[in-house]
Amino acid sequence: MPNQSPRPEILRSALPSERLCYATGAALTLSGLVHLLVFAVDGGPWDGPVSWRKPVTFGVSFGLTLIALTWVTTYLRIGGRTRSVLLVVFAADCVLEVGGITLQAWRRVPSHLNMESGFDTAVSMSLAVGGGILVVVLSVFAVTSFRRRPSGPTGMPLALRAGFAILLVALASGAAMIARGVILTKTGHQEAAYHSTAPLKPLHGVSLHAVLVLPALAWLMSRTAWSGRTRISVIRAAVACYAAAVVAAGIWAAITY
C-alpha cells in the first residue's frame, strides 16, 4: 500500500530498493557539490561543452530527481514489485548519465554529441540510450499518476499530476536537444551541435523539478492547520505559477531556437 504521508522514520521503514535509491541520489548530489568545489579551485569556463558546470548541475539535478521520484511514487497506485524495478532501473540510469558526464569532464572533452573518437562516441551514445530509458521510466510513472488517482494528503494528487505533466515537458525538450544535436553532428556541424542546446536548457531545467517542488509544497501544507480548501487553493496557485514559468521558458526557447 502507498504511504499516506511522509514520515520522520521514512528511511527506517523504507524498502531495500528505496534505501538504495535514496543512497544513490544522495551520492550523486554530493558528487555534484564536490565538483562545484573543483570548479572553485580549478576555474575555467562555466558555460560551454567542456566545463565543470556539467558534472555539478547533472549530479545535483539527477540526485535530487532520484530522491524525489523515490518519495513521490509512494503515493502512486502501482504494484510494489513494478515500482521497485522501475526505481532501480532509474537509479542505475542516473549513475550512468552522471558517471559518463563526469568522466568526460575530467578528460576535458564534451560529453554529449561528441563523436571525435571511438571512445567518445561510445560514451555519447550510452548517454543518449540512457536518456531514452529515462523517458520510458518517467513516462510510466506519469501515466500511472493519471490513470489512478494518487493517494496522500489534501492537494497531493493535484501536485503529483501537475508535477509529472510538467516533467513530460522536460523530457520532450531534452529529447529535442539530443535530436537536433545528433542531426547537426551527423551532417558535419559539430561546433553548432554543441551550441544548439542552449535555447532549450532553461525550459528543460525549469520543468524538470516540478515533480519535487509541487509535492513538497503539498506535504509541507499537510503539517499546518490550514483547511483543506486553503491547501487546494495554494496548490492551484503554485501549479499556475509553475506553469507560467514553463510557458515563459518555452517562449524564450521558441524565440532563440
Side-chain angles (χ1 to χ4, degrees):
M1 292 293 291
N3 297 330
Q4 295 302 308
S5 62
R7 299 169 301 193
E9 68 274 13
I10 186 170
L11 292 179
R12 292 197 298 271
S13 63
L15 299 172
S17 59
E18 293 173 334
R19 291 175 183 268
L20 173 65
C21 290
Y22 284 130
T24 303
L28 294 177
T29 303
L30 179 60
S31 173
L33 296 176
V34 167
H35 281 89
L36 184 60
L37 295 178
V38 172
F39 169 72
V41 173
D42 187 61
W46 181 251
D47 294 319
V50 181
S51 166
W52 291 120
R53 168 187 56 82
K54 299 189 77 173
V56 172
T57 56
F58 277 82
V60 172
S61 184
F62 271 93
L64 291 179
T65 300
L66 176 56
I67 292 171
L69 197 72
T70 304
W71 168 51
V72 300
T73 54
T74 62
Y75 297 108
L76 298 184
R77 301 186 186 279
I78 185 173
R81 181 173 298 180
T82 299
R83 173 174 170 268
S84 292
V85 170
L86 289 174
L87 285 177
V88 170
V89 169
F90 185 74
D93 211 8
C94 288
V95 172
L96 170 67
E97 294 288 319
V98 176
I101 290 164
T102 302
L103 171 65
Q104 295 298 71
W106 281 97
R107 294 182 66 236
R108 306 290 181 147
V109 296
S111 55
H112 293 84
L113 311 173
N114 183 0
M115 310 295 181
E116 296 296 327
S117 70
F119 182 80
D120 292 329
T121 299
V123 173
S124 181
M125 293 306 297
S126 296
L127 295 177
V129 171
I133 295 173
L134 293 176
V135 170
V136 171
V137 172
L138 293 173
S139 295
V140 170
F141 284 133
V143 170
T144 300
S145 72
F146 283 94
R147 287 188 62 187
R148 300 184 63 188
R149 181 180 173 84
S151 62
T154 302
M156 184 62 77
L158 173 59
L160 278 171
R161 285 174 167 175
F164 274 115
I166 295 173
L167 179 61
L168 293 178
V169 176
L171 298 181
S173 58
M177 286 191 286
I178 293 174
R180 188 184 190 195
V182 168
I183 291 173
L184 289 171
T185 298
K186 294 295 185 180
T187 55
H189 301 87
Q190 186 67 65
E191 194 63 29
Y194 290 145
H195 298 287
S196 66
T197 60
L200 286 172
K201 284 180 179 178
L203 175 62
H204 183 69
V206 169
S207 55
L208 186 63
H209 296 293
V211 75
L212 168 60
V213 174
L214 296 176
L217 177 60
W219 177 78
L220 287 172
M221 288 194 300
S222 73
R223 308 320 240 194
T224 70
W226 294 355
S227 68
R229 179 176 297 181
T230 299
R231 296 178 198 174
I232 287 292
S233 296
V234 172
I235 290 296
R236 287 174 177 168
V239 170
C241 290
Y242 213 110
V246 171
V247 170
I251 293 173
W252 170 258
I255 293 173
T256 58
Y257 197 58

